[in-house]
Amino acid sequence: MIPPAFDYARPSSVDEAVRALADAGEDAKVLAGGQSLLPLMRLRLAFPDLVVDVGRIPELRGVREDGDTLVIGAMTTHHDVIGDPLVRRHAGLLAAATATVADPAVRHRGTLGGSLAHADPAADLPAVVLALDGELVAQGPRGRRTVPAREFFVDYLQSALEPDELLVEVRLPKADGWGFHYEKFHQSAQAYAIVGVAALVRRDNGRIAEARVGLTNMGSTPLRASATEHALPGAGDPQAVAGAARSAAEGTQPSQDTSASPEYRAHLARVLTRRAVLAAAGMG
């Protein structure tokens, strides 16, 4: 299908992009890598009056360090995230999970910020950034503000971004010394995860001292498996991990669709959490 007619702006700076969004109000959409927006427009599920293409704003790309924090520009592509040495050293979970996104063509065009701003709970990276205790920085007419990942994802395809705000960067505390693993179940390489689990584990004296577990596609937003996180400290063998993983679906509201029932998704969450934590802890 062909999308409805729309105006097009290609700003060269963040300030210029914010002005375009503010002038258009709620009738504008930001075009990043285009891997989510363009299909919606072609299906006429999204019909903006103005598309603001931020692809030529250099300040939105790249990875840098800021003390104990890793700062990733919102327009950094999945491909660049995977290969960046700083990401691989300090946020290995993000690099590993990003390598499972769709296929090489999508990874070369899609962006970290675009995936997060789209706020699809079936996408891999929102749950990963949630597990990493990330923060998202937005810029609008009123200046910049920082939103914790736990507050950024509001509902299905809804984020905390205001219509006149642009996601400019993602800030991740360095996770040096933590084991990590991303495990997901999907029907094909290009398909969204039916369920995914992002696990971070810190060990001390052979036992799990702390764990973070993010869940993909277990509700209208990415979620943390809080009950499992609270049960894991002190676990020192696969049996203890399996016991903690049995509570992974607590507090979730998985959807019913043609791919899986809520009960099946809950089962997958428990199984994949056990696998992901064991792998992250080096017990697998």
Side-chain angles (χ1 to χ4, degrees), residues 29-114:
K29 291 289 186 182
V30 174
L31 175 66
Q35 303 306 294
S36 299
L37 178 61
L38 294 182
L40 290 177
M41 291 175 63
R42 292 189 63 179
L43 291 170
R44 300 205 172 199
L45 297 174
F47 31 87
D49 291 337
L50 174 67
V51 171
V52 180
D53 183 349
V54 296
R56 286 190 177 177
I57 303 180
E59 62 195 282
L60 292 178
R61 296 182 182 273
V63 182
R64 62 182 174 85
E65 295 177 272
D66 182 10
D68 292 332
T69 300
L70 201 63
V71 183
I72 307 174
M75 280 296 295
T76 305
T77 66
H78 301 320
H79 172 78
D80 288 344
V81 165
I82 294 166
D84 189 271
L86 290 175
V87 176
R88 297 173 71 89
R89 185 180 310 130
H90 301 300
L93 175 62
L94 178 62
T98 303
T100 74
V101 171
D103 53 36
V106 170
R107 294 194 291 270
H108 274 79
R109 293 293 303 172
T111 65
L112 174 60

Side-chain angles (χ1 to χ4, degrees), residues 57 114 136 150 264:
I57 303 180
L136 296 94
R150 64 181 178 275
Y264 184 52

Side-chain angles (χ1 to χ4, degrees), residues 235-258:
D237 56 64
Q239 291 74 25
V241 170
R246 282 196 284 269
S247 60
E250 287 186 11
T252 67
Q253 293 183 315
S255 63
Q256 167 83 51
D257 58 29
T258 57

Side-chain angles (χ1 to χ4, degrees), residues 106-196:
V106 170
R107 294 194 291 270
H108 274 79
R109 293 293 303 172
T111 65
L112 174 60
S115 176
L116 299 177
H118 189 53
D120 190 337
D124 300 295
L125 303 185
V128 171
V129 172
L130 187 63
L132 286 165
D133 281 342
E135 296 179 325
L136 296 94
V137 180
Q139 182 168 327
R142 297 159 296 282
R144 288 197 174 195
R145 66 185 180 108
T146 300
V147 184
R150 64 181 178 275
E151 300 174 8
F152 184 80
F153 306 103
V154 176
D155 204 344
Y156 181 72
L157 301 184
Q158 295 181 34
S159 76
L161 287 172
E162 298 293 340
D164 57 2
E165 287 184 318
L166 179 68
L167 180 62
V168 294
E169 64 186 30
V170 180
R171 299 178 64 87
L172 303 174
K174 293 179 179 178
D176 299 359
W178 289 65
F180 59 86
H181 187 76
Y182 186 67
E183 185 84 19
K184 70 177 177 179
F185 183 83
H186 54 166
Q187 294 172 319
S188 67
Q190 292 81 10
Y192 282 104
I194 294 175
V195 173

Side-chain angles (χ1 to χ4, degrees), residues 5-25:
F6 58 89
D7 292 328
Y8 175 81
R10 195 165 196 178
S12 58
S13 70
V14 170
D15 288 341
E16 188 180 339
V18 168
R19 283 196 298 271
L21 292 172
D23 291 343

